[in-house]
Every structure is written in structure tokens, then in C-alpha cells.
């Protein structure tokens, strides 16, 4: 099931189930109120899609989770998940603008699959991961690479406002075992990988992260990026696609 968060004519955010070219409007946030529908249908072409979720407390990210990306960053694959945080104020939605900070000259894209947590989760066993996952969406872990190198840690480089585009929808029944992930800058493919090549799988990630943090409904986990990360500049459009979910597109300014 594909779930969208949307607004019409600047109104309050609402949720709907994607049904072809239409949205079946839901009575409330499905994460908390289930999938009860109203009798209303709206055309996808008549709405603005918003970030499908605004994390209640945090965006947790996994670094160096593809072997070739770890190598392009100058290291070997880690023996345990490397985790860092983005603030929820970094989240934007499809079609929103990535604002390039004036103190960076090297902002790069990182195509990622994102896990959306659906219930309070602590010390989850890998075999029980699905019990706490609401669904999956597409993410761009935007990074000021020069600042990352300058600071020696990742908070500032990854945490600027607009540095966590999410969308376009949440897929609740996504098969992550074999799905292509791709990044394009102005239509040119820059990253191409497959979710099955992640070093640490979705069950392992959920279990590891939940041993560190209590995960809350609406929290998001970014699962790492394949090789090919690269820069983009003002005026360029970055598209991130995951087969089975969709394409997230954002213009940089």
C-alpha cells in the first residue's frame, strides 16, 4: 500500500492511499489512526505531495553500509553499523528546494532507502523487525563534504536545514531484498546500486539502532548509500529512485 501525505490549495496536511492517478483520502494519520477512509477522492495532479513523514524525534542514519561506498570514502567496510543523526528540521518533501549553505563549496547527494518506524521500539530482535516498521520511503542524505572533512565528524555537514529530502510516498509492503536504487543529477545517472548489496540488512539495522535509541513512531532510519556519491550545484535537480517506491526530486538553490 502506498501512503501519501499531501495538501490542497495550501490547506492542512492530509493522508491518502495512492490508487492509480487518485488519492483515497484517509480519516487521519494512518500510523496512529489506521486506514479508515473518507468518501473523498482527489487527483494526484491536484495536490502537493509533502514529506510523507515528519520524524517525531530523530532521523538515524547508517554510514558506509555498501562496501564500494566505504572504499570511495577511503576506508574498508565496517564490522558494525556506523550511526549518526540528522535533526528532524532537515526534512523536506518532494519538489521542495535544497538550500545550499554559503559555508560549503562541495554539497553532495547520497541516494538511500529509508525505514519509517511505526511503533515504540527498544531492543528489537532481528526476526521481529517487521513488527515495528510502518513502511519505507526514498531519501537523499545531502552532505556538505568539505565541512565533513573539516570538522572530522558529521553533525554539521549532514544536519543543515533541507539536507534530508524524503518521499514521494511511504510503501508499506516494500520488498527490500532486491531493489535497484539510483541517483540522477539533471538526468545523468550518478549512482546505481541494489539494496541487496547492503552490508547490514534491514533486520540487523533495526535491531542495532534500537539497542542504542528508543525509536518512536515516525522516526526514520536512513540505511546507507551505494558508491557514486557526487556534487551538485545551484540550479541542478537531484532525483533519487528506488524501484517499488518511486522517485524523489528536488531542485538545489
Amino acid at each position: 500500500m502506498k501512503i501519501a501525505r499531501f495538501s490542497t490549495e495550501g490547506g492542512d496536511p492530509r493522508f491518502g492511499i495512492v490508487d492509480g492517478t487518485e488519492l483515497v483520502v484517509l480519516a487521519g494519520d494512518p500510523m496512529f489512526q489506521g486506514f479508515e477512509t473518507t468518501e473523498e477522492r482527489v487527483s494526484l495532479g491536484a495536490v502537493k505531495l509533502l514529506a510523507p513523514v515528519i520524524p517525531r524525534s530523530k532521523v538515524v542514519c547508517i554510514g558506509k553500509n555498501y562496501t564500494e561506498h566505504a572504499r570511495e570514502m577511503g576506508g574498508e567496510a565496517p564490522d558494525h553499523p556506523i550511526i549518526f543523526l540528522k535533526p528532524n528540521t532537515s526534512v523536506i518533501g518532494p519538489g521542495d528546494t535544497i538550500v545550499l549553505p554559503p559555508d560549503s563549496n562541495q554539497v553532495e547527494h547520497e541516494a538511500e532507502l529509508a525505514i519509517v518506524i511505526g511503533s515504540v521500539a527498544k531492543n528489537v530482535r532481528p526476526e521481529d523487525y517487521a513488527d515495528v516498521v510502518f513502511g519505507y520511503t526514498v531519501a537523499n542524505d545531502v552532505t556538505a563534504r568539505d565541512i565533513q572533512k573539516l570538522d572530522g565528524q558529521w553533525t554539521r555537514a549532514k544536519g543543515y536545514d533541507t539536507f534530508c529530502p524524503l518521499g514521494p510516498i511511504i510503501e508499506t509492503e516494500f520488498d527490500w531484498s532486491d531493489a535497484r536504487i539510483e541517483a540522477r543529477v539533471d538526468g545523468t545517472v550518478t549512482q546505481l546500486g541494489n539494496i541487496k548489496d547492503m552490508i547490514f540488512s534491514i533486520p540487523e539495522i533495526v535491531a542495532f539502532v534500537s539497542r542504542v535509541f528508543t525509536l518512536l513512531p515516525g522516526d526514520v532510519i536512513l540505511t546507507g548509500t551505494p558508491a557514486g556519491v557526487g556534487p551538485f550545484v545551484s540550479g541542478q535537480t537531484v532525483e533519487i529512485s528506488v524501484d517499488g517506491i518511486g522517485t524523489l526530486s528536488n531542485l538545489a538553490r
Side-chain angles (χ1 to χ4, degrees):
M1 186 182 300
K2 288 181 168 59
I3 305 297
R5 180 170 170 266
F6 70 96
S7 66
T8 52
E9 298 180 351
D12 291 337
R14 294 189 289 170
F15 294 85
I17 299 170
V18 179
D19 183 18
T21 60
E22 294 184 320
L23 288 169
V24 179
V25 179
L26 292 169
D29 185 338
M31 195 175 298
F32 299 95
Q33 297 176 254
F35 298 102
E36 179 185 355
T37 64
T38 68
E39 296 182 357
E40 184 181 2
R41 284 177 171 260
V42 295
S43 169
L44 273 168
V47 308
K48 174 176 172 50
L49 291 181
L50 308 174
V53 61
I54 299 296
R56 298 315 198 261
S57 67
K58 54 193 170 293
V59 179
V60 184
C61 306
I62 307 297
K64 300 182 179 180
N65 198 28
Y66 291 77
T67 299
E68 292 305 315
H69 173 62
R71 289 174 180 164
E72 77 178 349
M73 291 292 100
E76 295 301 315
D79 60 6
H80 64 275
I82 306 299
I83 59 177
F84 60 95
L85 297 173
K86 283 178 177 277
N88 57 10
T89 49
S90 66
V91 171
I92 59 173
D96 291 339
T97 300
I98 299 170
V99 179
L100 303 176
D103 41 353
S104 175
N105 294 311
Q106 188 182 1
V107 176
E108 297 189 354
H109 60 75
E110 296 190 8
E112 309 209 8
L113 173 70
I115 306 166
V116 181
I117 298 299
S119 61
V120 177
K122 182 64 178 176
N123 295 323
V124 179
R125 298 184 302 175
E127 59 267 31
D128 296 330
Y129 83 97
D131 294 342
V132 302
V133 172
F134 179 75
Y136 302 84
T137 191
V138 182
N140 185 356
D141 176 17
V142 180
T143 304
R145 195 71 66 196
D146 49 353
I147 291 176
Q148 184 182 24
K149 294 174 182 176
L150 177 67
D151 286 358
Q153 53 84 26
W154 302 355
T155 302
R156 181 163 67 117
K158 303 256 188 188
Y160 283 96
D161 290 352
T162 76
F163 268 29
C164 188
L166 297 175
I169 53 88
I170 295 172
E171 174 57 76
T172 62
E173 300 171 4
F174 177 65
D175 180 5
W176 50 263
S177 63
D178 184 9
R180 187 177 64 172
I181 183 169
E182 179 178 298
R184 298 179 296 276
V185 177
D186 283 351
T188 299
V189 175
T190 52
Q191 288 182 273
L192 184 60
N194 195 296
I195 305 299
K196 67 182 179 183
D197 295 326
M198 290 195 303
I199 298 167
F200 304 104
S201 68
I202 303 297
E204 292 172 310
I205 289 170
V206 172
F208 185 88
V209 171
S210 72
R211 290 202 299 271
V212 181
F213 307 112
T214 297
L215 296 169
L216 303 180
D219 282 353
V220 172
I221 304 175
L222 274 55
T223 59
T225 192
V229 299
F232 60 94
V233 298
S234 180
Q236 291 188 309
T237 296
V238 182
E239 295 174 297
I240 311 293
S241 297
V242 175
D243 286 353
I245 300 179
T247 296
L248 170 65
S249 179
N250 299 93
L251 176 69
R253 289 294 185 195

